[in-house]
Amino acid sequence: MKGAKVIISCLMIAAIAISLYHLFLRTYTRSVYLLLIKEGRGRIYVNSEPTQGVHEVKLVKKGYLNSYRPVRVTVKAVPDEGWKIAFIQVEGVPFRAEEVSFQVKDNMTVKVVFRRIVCNLKTKVEGNGRVEPANYSGYYGDVVRLSVIPERGYAIREILLDRRPLEFENNTLALRLTANSTLLVRFKPVYRTLSLRLHGRGLAQLLMPNGTLILETQEKANYTGLKDHPIIVRLLAHEGWELAKLLLDGEEVSHANYTLTIPMSYNHTLEAYFGRMNCTLLAYILEGEGVIYPANMTVPYGTLL
């Protein structure tokens, strides 16, 4: 009997020891989950581990009667190129940061929102000309095409993007947006020269299309004006003289009305040749008989006979 009592006592002590172990010493684990929701383009890291969808978090407690200890978790968001972090939302609470740390003790929802970066391009102009479009707003990586349009008589001197010079071959630019930027376009005047040469006795007047007199000369002169700004040359012969020939850049041109419009797209040379007018004298015998010699003659204007 005594032996049986000893065995029963030992079993009871062992059962008590096992119960005490479970109550106070055994380590228990429990899995909870982070549901990760992503909007936009980027990557999510949980405790430096790249994660998407669902992330498992193991909770631990020592002893059955104790509570599971919360686990501290850090969620970090890394946007792709051209994107930025809008916010990280933990259980409905938004945080405007790229990294958020919090305690996890149950299933939780974490939402990471990325937004595309918006870039603004502003243009400035110095001189006579314009840029179309004048301002542009688009997303990072967008390519915007700009037309640089000088006014008549002007050309592009230089183009600067955020103070850095840009190479250009024509009047069209294609820019890839990567940040807020300022485009500065400087225009310069382009001049053309008209060389006037007058031969004989006459007068040349240079006029603007609206009739404003620019220059008047009786000999030779040079006029310099803006490219593609046309001028009108009006030629006036002195008394007894007439315009005999008109050469523009060495080629004869019509001078019927003594007026010529020159577009001034290039440098030009204009030569006007004035000649003496000739007068013809015809002699007739109205009564009687006789001879007039010469019966007719042609002489320069103003000749005394």
Side-chain angles (χ1 to χ4, degrees):
M1 290 292 293
K2 287 183 179 180
K5 289 182 179 180
V6 170
I7 292 172
I8 292 171
S9 297
C10 289
L11 291 173
M12 291 179 65
I13 291 171
I16 293 171
I18 292 172
S19 297
L20 291 174
Y21 169 76
H22 281 281
L23 289 174
F24 301 106
L25 298 177
R26 182 181 173 182
T27 299
Y28 293 87
T29 60
R30 171 175 169 247
S31 292
V32 295
Y33 298 92
L34 293 180
L35 175 61
L36 302 171
I37 301 172
K38 182 179 75 171
E39 286 186 9
R41 294 177 58 179
R43 289 156 289 161
I44 301 175
Y45 294 84
V46 178
N47 294 337
S48 301
E49 179 184 342
T51 308
Q52 57 181 350
V54 176
H55 181 82
E56 183 183 13
V57 178
K58 291 187 177 295
L59 304 181
V60 178
K61 70 177 180 177
K62 200 80 168 179
Y64 182 79
L65 297 179
N66 294 323
S67 300
Y68 285 99
R69 294 192 299 270
V71 174
R72 188 168 184 81
V73 168
T74 298
V75 175
K76 182 178 181 180
V78 179
D80 288 351
E81 183 183 8
W83 294 74
K84 64 180 180 180
I85 301 166
F87 57 84
I88 300 175
Q89 183 175 285
V90 181
E91 287 295 296
V93 179
F95 298 90
R96 297 191 178 278
E98 64 178 24
E99 186 174 296
V100 176
S101 296
F102 51 91
Q103 299 285 347
V104 176
K105 56 183 179 179
D106 210 337
N107 294 331
M108 300 180 72
T109 300
V110 177
K111 185 177 182 180
V112 180
V113 177
F114 299 98
R115 295 278 188 263
R116 293 190 70 180
I117 297 174
V118 175
C119 301
N120 297 305
L121 178 66
K122 181 180 180 181
T123 64
K124 295 182 178 179
V125 168
E126 292 182 4
N128 293 43
R130 66 186 188 277
V131 179
E132 294 180 353
N135 296 296
Y136 182 85
S137 181
Y139 291 118
Y140 182 104
D142 285 355
V143 175
V144 55
R145 299 188 181 278
L146 303 170
S147 296
V148 182
I149 306 170
E151 289 187 7
R152 191 174 58 181
Y154 288 80
I156 302 170
R157 189 177 81 184
E158 64 177 348
I159 299 177
L160 303 175
L161 181 63
D162 296 327
R163 300 183 180 180
R164 300 189 306 272
L166 289 181
E167 297 293 332
F168 61 93
E169 294 181 357
N170 49 42
N171 291 7
T172 302
L173 291 175
L175 301 178
R176 182 174 181 267
L177 300 179
T178 56
N180 292 332
S181 299
T182 299
L183 185 77
L184 173 61
V185 180
R186 292 191 171 107
F187 296 96
K188 62 181 179 181
V190 179
Y191 296 102
R192 293 291 183 258
T193 300
L194 173 65
S195 297
L196 277 173
R197 300 292 183 267
L198 303 184
H199 306 275
R201 299 189 62 186
L203 176 71
Q205 293 180 334
L206 270 61
L207 303 98
M208 296 178 63
N210 63 3
T212 302
L213 181 65
I214 303 172
L215 173 70
E216 187 173 271
T217 181
Q218 297 187 54
E219 297 179 353
K220 62 181 181 179
N222 292 326
Y223 164 76
T224 299
L226 288 174
K227 178 180 179 290
D228 295 326
H229 281 242
I231 59 171
I232 298 172
V233 180
R234 184 164 61 196
L235 299 163
L236 304 171
H238 286 187
E239 183 181 1
W241 292 73
E242 62 182 352
L243 182 60
K245 185 168 62 173
L246 188 60
L247 301 178
L248 179 63
D249 299 329
E251 295 186 5
E252 190 166 357
V253 294
S254 173
H255 57 276
N257 58 2
Y258 282 45
T259 301
L260 180 67
T261 299
I262 301 177
M264 295 300 289
S265 299
Y266 308 95
N267 295 328
H268 294 286
T269 298
L270 183 66
E271 291 187 273
Y273 291 84
F274 295 95
R276 294 284 298 270
M277 294 175 61
N278 290 322
C279 299
T280 300
L281 176 64
L282 300 177
Y284 297 94
I285 299 175
L286 297 179
E287 293 182 6
E289 295 182 2
V291 176
I292 300 176
Y293 182 83
N296 58 71
M297 67 177 67
T298 299
V299 295
Y301 180 96
T303 302
L304 293 176
L305 297 177

